Amino acid sequence: MQRPPASQPYLPGSASMPVTQTPTFQQYGPPPASVQQLTNHMAGMAIGITAASAPPPAGLGYGAPRPPTMPGPPLPGQTAAGPPASQPNHVFSPPPPSPMSGPQPGPPMSGLHGPPLPTHPPQPGYQMQQNGSFGQVRGSQPNYGGAYPGTPNYGSQSGPPPPPKRLDPDSIPSPQLNELPPQQKPRHRIDPDAIPSPIQVIEDDRNNCGSEPFVTGVRGQVPPLVTTDFLVKDQGNASPRYIRCTSYNIPCTSDMAKQSQVPLAAVIKPLATLRPEETLPYLVDHGESGPVRCNRCKAYMCPFMQFIEGGRRFQCCFCSCVTEVPPHYFQHLDHTGKRVDFYDRPELSLGSYEFLATVDYCKNNKFPSPPAFIFMVDVSYNAVKSGLVRLICEELKSLLDYLPREGNMEESAIRVGFVTYNKVLHFYNVKSSLAQPQMMVVSDVADMFVPLLDGFLVNVNESRTVIASLLDQIPEMFADTRETETVFAPVIQAGLEALKAAECAGKLFIFHTSLPIAEAPGKLKNRDDKKLINTDKEKTLFQPQTSFYNNLAKDCVTQGCCVDLFLFPNQYLDVATLGVVTYQTGGSIYKYAYFQLETDQDRFLNDLRRDVQKEVGFDAVMRVRTSTGIRATDFFGAFYMSNTTDVEMAGLDCDKTITVEFKHDDKLSEDSGALLQCALLYTSCAGQRRLRIHNLSLNCCTQLADLYRNCETDTLINYLAKYAYRGVLSSPVKAVRDALINQCAQILACYRKNCASPSSAGQLILPECMKLLPVYLNCVLKSDVLQPGLEVTTDDRAYIRQLVTSMDVAETNVFFYPRLLPLTKADVDSDSLPAAIRNSEERLSKGDIYLLENGLNIFVWVGVNVQQGLIQNLFGVSSFSQISNGLSTLPILENPFSKKVRSIIDMLQMQRSRYMKLIIVKQEDKLEMLFKHFLVEDKSLSGGASYVDFLCHMHKEIRQLLS
């Protein structure tokens, strides 16, 4: 199904103004005739099937909100609300507030934040700008400015709304303008409702594609958006749950690809979870001879292989080499040239399937043993005092019954072991024949070894009573500890040595609380330095402070030792360094800053349960083969590479993605298209060696219009974010941001020049499939990795950088552009969610309650004028003022509204791979600053542009490229 070829002019131009004057806003007279035409045009504008994907940056939301924090004073050279002086690409005047529909009292416009909250005096040294660049002094309500100076109508809700205005691109200030004295000049404002809306695009796609199954039989089909709930029927191409591409119609030549600047990439999630109604990949067993493969390129048998000579040979669809069909695999062809057993063999008729691997695919030509899980618990003072150690031990008693198992197995084949540590390591013998567990201490952490072999890794059922006894004793043994220092690298080394001795792969679950400063290999120092932000040395904050962990990661990958890390920091603990081994072994990091039992226990336990139970493959190697003409050149994700083709992962779970970029090395043809085959070799949780194969066929084009008609913006943003987040390791953040803006301007300028019908330069014309590129790109630019707010810690940024790198397209979608739902509009009698609204403060009404989720946090925002009855029903208190600040759970109340809201939250939690932290925010409370950070269409306090301003800026960049 082709997307409708449509390109709509969005922002009509108007008479040009000299660029040298900084525009300010004044009330407008009646619109000129052309505006009327614009209004009619906007009304008739069909918003077609576009991709929706982007989420907002997160402030403290990565851990707990700190105990009551306020944003500190601005950095040198940066105002509290305005853009840093060093970032000219974000110096715009915000548009004036737009009157809201309906009788909604409240903030005129979120882009106009003033100086810090009233508790801080305005920072000296910055003149208030008349043109609103830095906001205005707040009125009596914190966070809401009064009426706009010189505009009698805006702040108040009275009077008719002004007519929609045109954008005059020539009036967009150029970088140096805000340094000039502002001059009073009229400027047209853009109606936020007239620019592409993510909500509308998502809604349209749901209506167009949500009811029919997506059948994968056709080459180069663009799937429904990730935000659409749809069923997949595999008929020869892999499901979009396994592979999504930035474009499903790729340029035939490298020149054409360079001209468009659209990256050609695939986001691959090899072990993705399917819907219950969808069929899991079939397991094909070809016996001792193993899977049938091409002699030359070693591609695996797939639906695109061509059988010739009556079925005795096949021609490879990747490299064209002809290979003999093994006698046991021979089958006759029908009159169309298809094998007669075509439908009986998954590898000939389906896009995804598995082969049972033979011993040749195993390490040292030996079938693997089942993997092991080792739980390694920090028992230093902080961990014990916070109640964490007792909590972990209590949970493990029941959780060990839910280890992953294969299909219909009675019990899991995974063995378990236990270690506790502070400055030294304690190993435990939990052999089933013992009456009590035995502890062995290794204090020589410089030369790590495992003091016991027999009895360390055990079967849960056999050693159940000994394990239970151990888990009861650990919290008591360390209850009076005074040891505050910890080691870290020796803990990983101990786990690695234990797996080596047992000759198996496995996973370490490490629960850790502080910077490892005790004398030991991998010892770290506190190098946190906010002064490096916006300097050339900022990149060092994202790099590990020693190469020790890179070498350790390499050893772990060789052994198939995956590391999952649960962090509970009360201060800086250097996630950039501690996360290296986790990241390179394919593991997961979870972070609970300022962990407190009563508020964070649920989130941690839910994360731990899911992490222990989810599907995971060990000792994995992935290779992506392509048909002649393109090849895989670059890879992003949590893995290790020792050569240029093989992605190696000690562990790969059902949530992890690997993003692969392709480049041309020859011409492609429209007739044959392009093929990808992703082959993943891994050990299942029962110790079975398997190959999982995913195939995808794409179209190729000689016309740029065909490329732009078949792009997927959500996947494009996923790739661009990962590319940028890797870039900060080696380049200044500003250079990374500028490169992103430039690439997207080139993509859109190429479309304008080669595909759009001729029109005035004053119009911004976006391809139908990419009309959300500007809004989503702006969200990536404003994210905390690329433009941190003052309250965002160095650890937060390193954590988010690592998380995003292995996110799938649905996760980046909601992370960069969060979902905002009006709870008060929810129908308590139906199962459906209320319709989402756009991420802007001007969409909020003081009389309503809203929910915002971004995959890591759920905020429930309560307006000051919410009816008492609703407050009573949801919070069990009688008035707004009685809702306690910083609440993190909703009381369980027996009324329809409470049940509905809690069921919505449960439904959202089920959809995400991590348990989201719930934060209740009262309007005008100090936590509201954090909530507003996620209203990504508005200007951000850290200097990020509003959506409207960024669209103007992109338009200007495109015009410069075209001229």
Side-chain angles (χ1 to χ4, degrees), residues 527-544:
R527 52 157 187 168
D528 189 17
D529 188 358
K530 280 275 181 92
K531 291 199 284 296
L532 298 181
I533 292 178
N534 291 329
T535 70
D536 282 354
K537 286 193 175 165
E538 183 171 6
K539 56 178 180 265
T540 60
L541 297 175
F542 296 109
Q543 298 164 352

Side-chain angles (χ1 to χ4, degrees), residues 486-493 510 512 514-518 520-525 544-557 563 565 573-585 640:
T486 57
V487 296
F488 185 69
V491 182
I492 297 176
Q493 287 171 321
I510 302 179
H512 189 78
S514 59
L515 190 71
I517 54 173
K523 170 186 172 180
L524 301 178
K525 58 181 191 291
Q545 59 172 285
T546 156
S547 62
F548 181 88
Y549 288 95
N550 294 73
N551 298 328
L552 180 53
K554 187 177 167 185
D555 295 341
C556 286
V557 173
V563 179
L565 188 52
L573 93 180
D574 202 348
V575 173
T577 306
L578 295 190
V580 166
V581 178
T582 297
Y583 185 63
Q584 294 191 15
T585 59
Y640 176 79

Side-chain angles (χ1 to χ4, degrees), residues 85-103:
S86 63
Q87 297 180 334
N89 58 338
H90 273 302
V91 183
F92 314 101
S93 311
S98 83
M100 286 161 286
S101 57

Side-chain angles (χ1 to χ4, degrees), residues 591-654:
K591 180 164 155 290
Y592 311 88
Y594 309 103
F595 178 81
Q596 290 178 315
L597 269 186
E598 57 278 13
T599 54
D600 298 309
Q601 166 177 336
D602 279 355
R603 183 164 60 110
F604 162 57
L605 292 181
N606 275 288
D607 283 343
L608 176 60
R609 286 166 194 158
R610 188 165 191 281
D611 196 60
V612 166
Q613 295 175 53
K614 67 184 170 187
E615 182 185 359
V616 59
F618 294 94
D619 241 334
V621 184
M622 186 182 102
R623 184 175 283 194
V624 178
R625 292 178 174 83
T626 53
S627 52
T628 312
I630 52 169
R631 61 193 174 90
T633 55
D634 208 350
F635 301 86
F636 304 82
F639 52 74
Y640 176 79
M641 289 188 85
S642 53
N643 58 35
T644 56
T645 54
D646 294 333
V647 174
E648 298 174 52
M649 294 155 288
L652 172 68
D653 64 49
C654 55

Side-chain angles (χ1 to χ4, degrees), residues 850-867:
Y850 298 87
L851 179 149
L852 182 145
E853 64 127 352
N854 75 334
L856 296 182
N857 304 293
I858 292 180
F859 292 92
V860 173
W861 182 89
V862 188
V864 286
N865 297 344
V866 173
Q867 293 171 1

